[in-house]
Each structure stands twice: as C-alpha cells, then as structure tokens.
Amino acid sequence: MKKQEKIDIISRGISETEICRCYFSYDKNYHYYYPNAVNDKFLLGQEEDDFILDGYCIRKISQLKKVEIKDDLCNIINKFNGTHEKIKMPQVDISSWQSIFSSLKEMGCFVIIEDEIEDKFLIGVVEKALKNKLHFKSFDANGVWDDGWEINYSAITTVKWECRYTEAWQKYLRENKENDDDSAS
C-alpha cells in the first residue's frame, strides 16, 4: 500500500469519524483507531478496544503496512453507545518526535514508549525532548523510578498516553506520593 493511499484512508477516517483497522510491519495483530491527525510521518489516534476508547496512540506511517476503514456492526454499536461523541483531538503537535514529546511533557501525563521490534516497554514521564533523542524517566512494575533513559527516536514504534494503564499508574503513584509526603510532615 502506498503512503498517500494510507494517508487518504486515515484522512477519510478523521473526516467521517470512522474506525481504521491498522496493520503494522512489526506486529502480526491489527489495531483499531479513531484517527485524530495524520501527516506523512505520523498517525495519531484514539485506540478503540471492545467499544471503549482507551487513550491516545502515535505510530509511524512508515511502519503502517495497511489501513482500512472498519465498516461493520461494531462501528454501528460505537455510534449507538456515543463513542463518537468522546473523540477529541489532544493538544499534541505531530510535526516531529521532538514536538510530540514537548507537547506530552507540557501535558504532564504518564507516557508509554515501546520498541516493538526489540520488545522494549517503558512507562514514565518525558524529561526533555531533543532533536534526535528523548530523556525519559520511567518506573518498574513495583513503582520504583529509575535514573532515566536516553532514547533515540528511531527506536520508537509506539507512544501511548491517557489509556487505562497509564491513568491507573499515574493516579496510584501520585496519591501514594501525597500520602508519603503527608506522613513525613
């Protein structure tokens, strides 16, 4: 599938509020998105999973093998359930990786960064977005923060935020920190 054809289908998904079924070169599974924005480098969409919007995701157009509008009963059910009314464009500039991560830093949200080719997963916060790389502070499955990572943008396949997973961790770690701060006083 040619790049412009992919962009045109995603653009139709945006203008007609349709779900796009997306296939990526590094994943045997497909993913569903209500696309919010697209350019020649990136797709930004709200992930749809069993009639629920589950946060935002950015992926590279260059790794998108195929995209199609999902035209079936699930789309009708989403409309019936009011899912379409919850679709909104976040304040994220998708011009470049640097602008994406600068926007996410400004939002102050927890972010997932994945390299699905090398099977790497990080969750945490953006510290600094440079021209070719990112400074990122993450935590492990026990909520213990590390000293930070330097990540080359070329290694990133997926960026997610405001999904159930990041929201649960963000709420827990922030409330837990507040409780720790209160007990220290």
Side-chain angles (χ1 to χ4, degrees):
M1 188 172 236
K2 293 186 180 188
K3 181 195 282 189
Q4 192 56 53
E5 186 180 0
K6 294 184 272 189
I7 292 170
D8 290 345
I9 291 170
I10 294 166
S11 296
R12 179 178 153 214
I14 294 168
S15 66
E16 297 177 13
T17 317
E18 298 287 349
I19 299 174
C20 289
R21 181 184 294 122
C22 299
Y23 299 82
F24 295 92
S25 58
Y26 46 80
D27 194 341
K28 64 181 179 180
N29 300 307
Y30 52 80
H31 301 268
Y32 289 127
Y33 298 105
Y34 279 102
N36 301 99
V38 66
N39 60 28
D40 63 335
K41 296 176 193 165
F42 302 106
L43 159 64
L44 163 59
Q46 285 178 265
E47 195 154 8
E48 190 271 351
D49 183 26
D50 295 335
F51 312 111
I52 297 170
L53 293 179
D54 191 21
Y56 295 94
C57 184
I58 295 176
R59 294 184 187 252
K60 297 176 189 174
I61 291 293
S62 64
Q63 294 173 328
L64 179 63
K65 286 192 314 188
K66 179 180 168 186
V67 61
E68 56 197 20
I69 299 292
K70 181 181 180 194
D71 187 19
D72 63 12
L73 185 57
C74 291
N75 199 28
I76 294 167
I77 293 170
N78 274 326
K79 287 179 183 174
F80 176 79
N81 286 336
T83 304
H84 290 76
E85 295 153 21
K86 298 172 188 165
I87 297 167
K88 62 179 180 168
M89 177 64 185
Q91 296 299 309
V92 175
D93 177 355
I94 66 166
S95 303
S96 68
W97 280 124
Q98 185 174 16
S99 66
I100 289 166
F101 286 111
S102 293
S103 298
L104 293 171
K105 178 177 175 37
E106 192 172 302
M107 290 169 60
C109 58
F110 279 24
V111 176
I112 293 171
I113 296 176
E114 292 182 82
D115 175 351
E116 290 157 290
I117 296 166
E118 297 294 326
D119 198 28
K120 294 181 181 174
F121 175 96
L122 294 171
I123 180 171
V125 294
V126 174
E127 290 192 302
K128 190 172 187 180
L130 304 171
K131 184 176 180 174
N132 296 312
K133 60 187 169 187
L134 170 70
H135 291 258
F136 191 77
K137 191 167 180 85
S138 67
F139 54 87
D140 64 18
N142 292 313
V144 178
W145 290 90
D146 59 31
D147 293 331
W149 297 83
E150 193 172 274
I151 304 166
N152 290 324
Y153 295 138
S154 61
I156 298 171
T157 58
T158 306
V159 177
K160 295 180 183 180
W161 71 99
E162 291 185 17
C163 60
R164 292 185 305 254
Y165 194 77
T166 58
E167 296 292 296
W169 274 107
Q170 188 164 335
K171 181 180 178 186
Y172 175 77
L173 290 176
R174 288 200 172 142
E175 285 182 12
N176 199 36
K177 183 179 182 332
E178 287 172 11
N179 290 338
D180 288 348
D181 290 347
D182 289 344
S183 63
S185 342

